[in-house]
């Protein structure tokens, strides 16, 4: 079967569709990979028009781009790797767009790329890019269908094309809304493909010197918080996450036996804060709570060290309510197992720090005095900076005695090691500190750059007590870095209102759409009178609503069955509608030239144009005269340019 050559107009429409369809996914790709793929696609679009690329070149580029895509995702298998490979194949497919079959494959690839972008991000920007991509793709498919049918290629004004594309999207809207609201939701995804191969920046279950540089320079939101009443002071906003107990000489890690054990004994204080926390997807099980959380979020659990945990990785927006008491007393009696882990140190590391701890004890310093000496030393001789020099095997000794500059990882790690060497139970707590209050909506934004690590020590009669050695350097500077002078506020008064508005809109998007889960669907079904909907009931409701939506779409299509099948007839009917709005009705049985003659008698000034256009239209429509694409385009332009007065006094013979 001979392949049908691709007309230039149709090829351009398909290339535009592929380019716009790739934008949502290109935005989420590494910039260098996106630049390479764009360069390859542009080269293919301009050089393969006359002469196709040889097979050896396409095979070579396939292997090269596949290698780049896999390297960009650190050679791991996951959905981001699959999306990068999809983009690479889409760029290469441009070189093959020479026949109708190849063009259909190209546009189909582009449409799949648009849908794949929602596997990576479900934000409003992705949707804003995807909607025009979908509309332009549908327009490209219409061009392909017309070319396959042998219809002449006709240029259509962008205004008309946009109106047509909008109408096609509107037809799909009822069924799409039915699917969003009523398609049975599941608690876990259907696919077995791993999540993002390259993990997102954020807090993890371990900490080594220098690990957090990417996190501390990332201003993307980690979570948002709305307090039921007055919020605590920013300097008291310590957002608790994973607690790290085990130290191997360089890396701190959590202990699953304690983090997953029975929650610590907590005696709530007089001060309490109630709030709702909305967590961005992390693909980890870590949750966060203001110190000290009194109980676990609903349907989740609290670790033995009061670190909150989710039952499943957080792959979508998570919202939960908590109550915290900053003056609570934690573990007034320390369990023996926790005491053993809180004093454990690896053998053979940091001898100078061990000697210092023994010296302070030999001088008679008690627990409180050891802590105060350490904080006073840090305040006097140390500097906070993100440009900390690398540390070697004895990282604590090198930090305390040689470099004396670093950020929260260095301070908390060295302080806890020193406390344990002095016989004081201690542990590292990771999370976030501070936050930025968005006046639009009155809520707090905690960004990734607010990530922080601090220490907790156990003191007899007081239980676990928070100590922040980083704040000992210069409290004002630390809380300026973590909160008020980072992220949104750092742009100053000029751009802050716009950024506040953007984040407020994103929060509304999360509330209305991304947080719509199986629980909220059950609430919707309950409002419809179905209590505790079973699976079959949810399926029945979806089938009913989908059938109604489909019936509405078919009804609308049936109303438009008389629409013109070709651009020239559509242009003529647009002229007829303008004449009807001006007061001259058109019986369906009246021929075009007879109708134009009545219009000419009503508007004598337009009589020559009306008679000429109607004669040309009748000749083109029924006699097949001058049916070249150029003549059709000219006739369409002339029909669309003719404008008539809104009203005119009818002349005597204008009745049918």
């Amino acid at each position: 079967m001979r392949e049908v050559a691709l007309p230039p107009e149709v090829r351009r429409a398909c290339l535009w569709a592929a380019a716009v369809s790739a934008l949502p996914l290109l935005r989420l790709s590494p910039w260098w990979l996106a630049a390479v793929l764009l360069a390859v696609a542009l080269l293919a679009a301009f050089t393969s028009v006359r002469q196709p690329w040889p097979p050896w070149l396409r095979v070579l580029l396939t292997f090269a781009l596949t290698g780049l895509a896999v390297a960009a995702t650190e050679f791991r298998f996951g959905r981001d790797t699959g999306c990068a490979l999809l983009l690479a194949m889409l760029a290469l497919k441009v070189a093959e767009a020479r026949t109708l079959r190849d063009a259909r494959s190209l546009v189909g690839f582009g449409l799949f790329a648009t849908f794949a972008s929602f596997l990576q991000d479900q934000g409003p920007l992705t949707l804003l890019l995807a909607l025009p991509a979908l509309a332009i793709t549908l327009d490209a498919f219409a061009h392909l269908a017309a070319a396959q049918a042998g219809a002449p290629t006709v240029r259509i004004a962008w205004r008309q094309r946009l109106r047509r594309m909008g109408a096609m999207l509107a037809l799909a809207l009822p069924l799409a809304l039915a699917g969003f609201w009523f398609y049975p939701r599941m608690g876990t995804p259907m696919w077995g493909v791993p999540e993002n191969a390259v993990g997102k920046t954020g807090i993890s279950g371990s900490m080594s010197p220098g690990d957090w540089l990417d996190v501390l320079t990332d201003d993307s939101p980690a979570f948002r918080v709305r307090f039921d009443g007055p919020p605590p002071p920013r300097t008291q906003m310590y957002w608790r996450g994973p607690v790290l107990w085990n130290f191997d000489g360089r890396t701190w890690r959590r202990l699953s036996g304690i983090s997953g054990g029975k929650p610590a004994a907590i005696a709530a204080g007089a001060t309490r804060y109630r709030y709702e926390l909305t967590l961005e997807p992390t693909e980890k099980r870590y949750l966060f709570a203001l110190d000290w959380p009194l109980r676990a979020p609903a349907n989740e659990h609290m670790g033995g060290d009061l670190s909150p945990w989710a039952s499943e990785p957080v792959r979508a927006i998570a919202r939960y309510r908590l109550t915290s008491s900053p003056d609570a007393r934690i573990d007034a009696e320390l369990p023996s197992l926790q005491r053993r882990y809180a004093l454990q140190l690896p053998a053979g590391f940091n001898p100078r720090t061990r000697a210092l701890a023994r010296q302070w004890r030999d001088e008679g310093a008690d627990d409180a005095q050891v802590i105060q000496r350490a904080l006073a030393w840090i305040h006097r001789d140390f500097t906070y900076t993100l440009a900390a020099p690398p540390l070697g095997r004895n990282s604590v000794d090198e930090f305390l005695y040689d470099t004396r500059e670093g950020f929260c990882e260095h301070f908390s790690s060295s302080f806890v090691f020193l406390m344990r060497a002095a016989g004081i139970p201690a542990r590292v707590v990771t999370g976030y500190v501070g936050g930025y209050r968005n006046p639009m909506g009155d809520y707090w934004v905690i960004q990734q750059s607010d990530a922080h690590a601090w220490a907790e020590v156990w003191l007899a009669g007081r239980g676990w007590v928070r100590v922040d050695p980083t704040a000992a350097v210069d409290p004002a500077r630390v809380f300026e870095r973590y909160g008020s002078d980072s992220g949104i506020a750092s742009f100053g008064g000029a751009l802050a209102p716009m950024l506040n508005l953007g984040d407020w809109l994103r929060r509304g998007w999360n509330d209305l759409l991304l947080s719509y889960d199986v629980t909220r669907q059950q609430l919707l079904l309950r409002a419809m009178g179905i209590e505790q909907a079973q699976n079959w009931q949810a399926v029945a409701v979806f089938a009913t609503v989908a059938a109604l939506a489909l019936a509405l779409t078919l009804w609308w299509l049936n109303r438009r069955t008389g629409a013109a099948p070709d651009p020239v007839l559509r242009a003529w009917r647009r002229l007829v509608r303008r004449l009807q709005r001006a007061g001259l009705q058109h019986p369906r049985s009246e021929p075009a030239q007879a109708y134009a003659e009545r219009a000419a008698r009503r508007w004598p000034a337009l009589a020559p144009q009306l008679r000429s256009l109607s004669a040309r239209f009748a000749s083109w429509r029924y006699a097949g005269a001058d049916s070249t694409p150029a003549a059709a385009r000219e006739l369409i332009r002339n029909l669309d340019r003719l404008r008539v007065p809104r009203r005119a006094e009818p002349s005597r013979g204008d009745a049918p």
Side-chain angles (χ1 to χ4, degrees), residues 183-193 195 315:
Y183 188 84
R185 301 262 170 166
M186 294 179 293
T188 58
M190 293 184 294
W191 52 82
V193 178
E195 300 303 315
R315 299 188 177 98

Side-chain angles (χ1 to χ4, degrees), residues 316-518:
I317 297 292
R319 179 184 288 108
Y320 50 90
R321 296 190 61 82
L322 285 170
T323 301
S324 296
S325 177
D327 53 355
R329 178 177 294 185
I330 313 301
D331 276 338
E333 297 293 332
L334 186 62
S336 58
L337 179 63
Q338 289 196 23
R339 178 181 293 275
R340 180 164 63 87
Y341 282 126
L343 292 172
Q344 197 172 64
L345 290 174
F349 287 89
N350 307 303
R352 287 185 288 178
T353 304
R354 294 174 187 266
L356 177 65
R358 287 195 300 269
Q359 176 188 334
W360 286 355
R361 285 301 197 186
D362 291 343
E363 292 172 355
D366 59 18
D367 291 355
Q369 290 170 337
V370 169
I371 295 171
Q372 290 305 316
R373 279 194 182 188
L375 295 177
W377 182 27
I378 291 172
H379 177 72
R380 183 179 65 249
D381 297 337
F382 288 73
T383 303
Y384 179 91
T385 178
L386 292 180
L391 302 175
R393 182 179 186 275
N394 293 303
S395 57
V396 175
D397 279 356
E398 293 174 23
F399 173 70
L400 293 179
Y401 288 94
D402 300 330
T403 65
R404 295 188 178 182
E405 56 182 23
F407 48 94
C408 60
E409 291 183 6
H410 304 84
F411 287 101
S412 59
S413 174
S414 301
F415 182 85
V416 171
F417 189 98
L418 179 58
M419 293 300 104
R420 289 187 177 187
I424 303 174
R427 60 195 185 189
V428 175
V429 183
T430 61
Y432 299 87
V433 69
Y436 172 78
R437 179 182 170 273
N438 190 335
M440 295 185 181
D442 191 23
Y443 64 94
W444 290 77
V445 183
I446 290 79
Q447 298 165 293
Q448 295 293 353
S449 55
D450 298 324
H452 194 46
W454 60 93
E456 287 177 350
V457 297
W458 188 88
L459 300 176
R462 298 179 61 185
W464 287 104
V465 177
R466 181 178 66 236
V467 180
D468 189 352
T470 313
V473 179
D474 184 350
R477 179 179 177 183
V478 169
F479 282 100
E480 182 179 321
R481 168 69 185 93
Y482 294 106
S484 63
D485 195 33
S486 64
I488 295 175
S490 64
F491 290 95
L495 292 181
M498 182 174 64
L499 296 173
N500 287 334
L501 176 62
D503 190 81
W504 177 75
L505 292 174
R506 177 62 192 242
R507 181 177 180 271
W509 175 269
N510 293 344
D511 291 345
L512 292 176
L513 296 178
L514 299 190
S515 296
Y516 187 78
D517 54 11
V518 62

Side-chain angles (χ1 to χ4, degrees), residues 483-601:
S484 63
D485 195 33
S486 64
I488 295 175
S490 64
F491 290 95
L495 292 181
M498 182 174 64
L499 296 173
N500 287 334
L501 176 62
D503 190 81
W504 177 75
L505 292 174
R506 177 62 192 242
R507 181 177 180 271
W509 175 269
N510 293 344
D511 291 345
L512 292 176
L513 296 178
L514 299 190
S515 296
Y516 187 78
D517 54 11
V518 62
T519 302
R520 291 180 61 185
Q521 188 179 67
Q522 290 287 341
L523 292 176
L524 178 61
L525 294 176
R526 192 173 302 163
M528 298 172 62
I530 305 176
E531 296 288 340
Q532 300 297 325
Q534 303 296 319
N535 290 337
W536 69 269
Q537 292 176 307
V539 171
V541 170
F542 167 69
T544 302
V545 176
L548 291 174
L550 194 57
L552 177 63
T553 303
L554 293 175
W555 171 79
W556 176 255
L557 287 173
N558 186 59
R559 287 184 71 248
R560 297 179 59 86
T561 51
D566 58 73
V568 174
L569 187 52
R570 285 199 295 270
W572 170 258
R573 291 189 174 178
R574 286 194 294 271
L575 174 61
V576 170
R577 285 196 294 271
R578 292 197 297 273
L579 293 171
Q580 287 179 323
R581 285 195 295 269
L584 187 63
Q585 297 305 311
H586 178 228
R588 297 180 66 88
S589 60
E590 186 176 19
Q593 288 182 282
Y595 181 64
E597 186 62 34
R598 288 199 299 118
R601 291 196 298 270

Side-chain angles (χ1 to χ4, degrees), residues 277-294:
L277 190 149
T278 305
L279 180 64
E280 292 288 322
T282 62
E283 298 176 8
K284 303 179 181 71
R285 293 178 58 200
Y286 315 134
L287 300 178
F288 299 92
L290 187 68
D291 263 350
W292 298 84
L294 298 183

Side-chain angles (χ1 to χ4, degrees), residues 85 104 147 160 258 273 294 298 438 479 594 608:
L85 290 173
R104 278 193 293 269
Q160 300 169 20
I258 294 180
Y273 296 102
L294 298 183
N438 190 335
F479 282 100

Side-chain angles (χ1 to χ4, degrees), residues 48-226:
S48 63
V49 178
R50 299 182 182 274
Q51 183 68 30
W53 283 1
W56 66 266
L57 179 58
R58 283 180 284 173
V59 172
L60 180 63
L61 285 174
T62 299
F63 281 108
L65 294 184
T66 299
L68 287 176
V70 175
T73 54
E74 301 181 3
F75 300 92
R76 300 177 184 174
F77 176 65
R79 66 189 182 194
D80 50 355
T81 306
C83 291
L85 290 173
L86 175 62
L87 278 178
M89 297 305 103
L90 180 61
L92 290 174
K93 195 65 180 173
V94 172
E96 300 178 355
R98 299 176 57 82
T99 66
L100 288 178
R101 187 184 66 177
D102 293 331
R104 278 193 293 269
S105 298
L106 175 65
V107 177
F109 261 79
L111 188 61
F112 195 78
T114 301
F115 293 153
S117 64
F118 287 98
L119 296 177
Q120 301 281 54
D121 176 68
Q122 294 85 40
L125 182 56
T126 301
L127 181 65
L128 288 176
L129 292 174
L131 285 177
L134 180 59
I136 294 174
T137 299
L138 293 175
D139 183 67
F141 276 125
H143 277 79
L144 289 169
Q148 184 70 44
T153 304
V154 179
R155 287 183 180 272
I156 304 175
W158 271 105
R159 184 186 304 173
Q160 300 169 20
R161 295 178 68 178
L162 288 175
R163 190 160 52 238
R164 184 175 68 180
M165 291 184 289
M168 287 188 288
L169 287 178
L171 285 175
L173 187 60
L175 191 58
L177 292 177
F180 176 78
W181 281 323
F182 296 104
Y183 188 84
R185 301 262 170 166
M186 294 179 293
T188 58
M190 293 184 294
W191 52 82
V193 178
E195 300 303 315
N196 278 353
V198 179
K200 298 181 179 180
T201 57
I203 298 297
S204 67
S206 63
M207 185 185 76
S208 301
D211 279 358
W212 285 13
L213 286 175
D214 290 341
V215 181
L216 296 175
T217 56
D218 180 6
D219 286 333
S220 62
F223 52 88
R224 298 171 178 85
V225 179
R226 181 190 293 276

